[in-house]
Amino acid sequence: MNFFQYTEAKTTRDAIKAKQEKEASYFIAGGSNLVDMMKEGIQHPQQLVDINTISGLREIKNTGDTVYLGTLASNTAAAESEKIINFAPLVSQSIVKGATQQIRNMATIGGNLMQESRCPFFYDVSASCGRRTVGDVCPTVTAKDGIRTNALFGLNESCNTPHPSDMAVGMLALRSKVVLQSKNDTRKLALDKFYHIPVKENTKITHLQDGEMIVGVEIPLEHGFNHSAYLKVRDRKSYAFALISGAAALNIQTGTILNAGLASGWVGTIPWRFEEAENYLQGKSATETNFRQAAKIAVSGAQPKKNNAFKVKLLEKILIRTLLMAKNTPYGTNN
Ligand SMILES: Cc1cc2nc3c(=O)[nH]c(=O)nc-3n(C[C@H](O)[C@H](O)[C@H](O)COP(=O)(O)OP(=O)(O)OC[C@H]3O[C@@H](n4cnc5c(N)ncnc54)[C@H](O)[C@@H]3O)c2cc1C
């Protein structure tokens, strides 16, 4: 039995303070990931700071320039919100491809972004794992041929596990920003600046500071995206994480792409954005030929080993298909 203190926070400031006061403190939101980590003996909190008791963190609103999701909005509430479906449908499209209805009912926005690795070496507490123990090196990093699920981008000397979230990939393609609150300040970080590739000095993959909490996510509407799609390819159709996923958001005006967002899940150690491919598409016609070229550009930096080399071609095809799906899915037609 692991004993831990349980603290209900009434305000964000209380939550941050309580977390800082005790070693090994964790915020708990839906608990769908953290409780698993505790049961598996991967994380050993001395204190859980329950943030569900803080009011005002569940709202979903359209401010005109942005759509805003409070950190405690459930994944279901986000996926079913008219504000999301009408103005940022890619968030809904990506959420509904993840987990199950029951888990999505519990899962929150902040918890989803912060969810842990699904790597078998991370779950096996007897294995060396740089994401669980500082200084450890994953056997798949040193293995000549790697393993099937290894990431292709953002590789590092201690860990090559791909990031598991679907929602984060949809949000990344929409150039979303994470809103972080500390004791006296609020700051916003673009999602691709919020995550960083694993480092051997610690087990973190985000720039969230000890004295900070995620309070929400802001999705800017200035890019004018009016078409989007999320494609999740997996070994089993239901209740499974992706093998590779693709997210595309396009602003298409009379056949020309004014702006593109392109990202992928399960290929990077963090949700992976293809900025060069996005730039290539800007100003081009929304044609399959251009989508093919963009996908070629996207995969050009991949670093496969023998056991995951098949994913480079698969990723290229998924990105082409996702872009074609997006072209055929204007906002308001399909979720
Ligand atoms: C069987 C199963 C299948 C799944 N399948 C998928 C899938 O296909 N796709 C997918 O994307 N996900 C999947 N998930 C993961 C699921 O999406 C996450 O468990 C969920 O999103 C986590 O949210 P939560 O609110 O329950 O987080 P919690 O478990 O409460 O917390 C997770 C982490 O986030 C931290 N945290 C929570 N809120 C904040 C905050 N506001 N600020 C800072 N840190 C915070 C916690 O301290 C903890 O470290 C699956 C989960 C399960 C159990």
Side-chain angles (χ1 to χ4, degrees):
M1 177 79 80
N2 288 323
F3 290 96
F4 58 86
Q5 184 179 319
Y6 171 77
T7 306
E8 282 185 351
K10 294 281 176 273
T11 64
T12 305
R13 196 183 268 251
D14 281 355
I16 294 165
K17 186 165 175 275
K19 184 166 175 288
Q20 283 192 300
E21 277 170 2
K22 205 169 179 76
E23 280 288 295
S25 287
Y26 290 73
F27 296 129
I28 184 160
S32 65
N33 188 229
L34 181 54
V35 174
D36 273 359
M37 297 294 101
M38 293 165 67
K39 288 199 267 190
E40 297 283 342
I42 297 166
Q43 286 169 336
H44 307 275
Q46 287 188 27
Q47 178 185 223
L48 293 184
V49 179
D50 194 341
I51 60 173
N52 289 287
T53 36
I54 304 173
S55 61
L57 295 179
R58 282 188 169 75
E59 70 176 335
I60 301 173
K61 62 182 177 190
N62 184 334
T63 67
D65 299 331
T66 64
V67 177
Y68 178 85
L69 289 150
T71 191
L72 288 180
S74 74
N75 284 189
T76 299
E80 293 179 355
S81 160
E82 290 291 314
K83 295 179 185 90
I84 294 297
I85 291 171
N86 292 335
F87 297 97
L90 187 48
V91 173
S92 180
Q93 289 161 336
S94 55
I95 286 177
V96 296
K97 288 285 171 7
T100 62
Q101 182 69 60
Q102 290 90 339
I103 292 166
R104 294 193 298 268
N105 291 346
M106 291 304 293
T108 63
I109 300 300
N112 192 318
L113 295 179
M114 293 297 291
Q115 65 175 291
E116 287 291 354
S117 161
R118 294 280 160 177
C119 176
F121 293 91
F122 179 75
Y123 272 83
D124 177 357
V125 291
S126 66
S128 178
C129 170
R131 284 289 303 284
R132 198 173 359 86
T133 311
V134 180
D136 272 12
V137 173
C138 176
T140 72
V141 170
T142 43
K144 187 170 139 281
D145 296 335
I147 59 169
R148 182 175 183 264
T149 49
N150 277 156
L152 299 169
F153 303 94
L155 307 188
N156 158 273
E157 59 208 319
S158 62
C159 170
N160 286 337
T161 184
H163 193 275
S165 174
D166 288 297
M167 183 195 78
V169 179
M171 286 182 168
L172 182 61
L174 293 172
R175 312 220 179 109
S176 307
K177 293 174 185 164
V178 188
V179 185
L180 304 172
Q181 193 166 328
S182 58
K183 203 168 130 205
N184 298 314
D185 202 14
T186 303
R187 66 177 179 136
K188 293 175 192 171
L189 274 184
L191 208 48
D192 53 355
K193 303 281 182 296
F194 174 70
Y195 291 111
H196 63 71
I197 63 172
V199 289
K200 65 176 185 333
E201 290 76 21
N202 61 55
T203 58
K204 289 169 56 164
I205 53 161
T206 74
H207 289 287
L208 184 78
Q209 302 298 309
D210 272 350
E212 285 183 321
M213 190 181 121
I214 299 173
V215 288
V217 170
E218 202 177 84
I219 302 157
L221 301 178
E222 66 187 287
H223 306 297
F225 295 130
N226 53 10
H227 293 68
S228 70
Y230 186 75
L231 176 63
K232 179 171 177 175
V233 171
R234 44 189 156 176
D235 293 327
R236 197 181 59 221
K237 196 171 176 198
S238 128
Y239 198 34
F241 285 90
L243 178 59
I244 298 182
S245 70
L250 298 170
N251 174 351
I252 305 178
Q253 304 293 339
T254 55
T256 302
I257 302 165
L258 299 191
N259 217 327
L262 191 62
S264 191
W266 284 82
V267 295
T269 48
I270 53 179
W272 206 256
R273 180 179 169 197
F274 300 107
E275 213 171 334
E276 239 186 282
E278 291 175 355
N279 292 339
Y280 167 80
L281 286 171
Q282 200 170 340
K284 301 272 187 330
S285 301
T287 61
E288 183 168 338
T289 309
N290 287 330
F291 294 159
R292 285 185 178 279
Q293 185 56 28
K296 210 178 269 304
I297 293 168
V299 301
S300 60
Q303 293 178 281
K305 285 185 175 177
K306 186 178 169 201
N307 285 334
N308 67 349
F310 73 98
K311 291 206 293 193
V312 180
K313 201 72 203 159
L314 184 59
L315 171 63
E316 192 177 333
K317 286 181 184 300
I318 285 170
L319 291 176
I320 298 165
R321 175 105 66 97
T322 311
L323 285 161
L324 285 168
M325 281 168 61
K327 178 186 173 183
N328 293 324
T329 315
Y331 281 19
T333 52
N334 177 338
N335 186 28

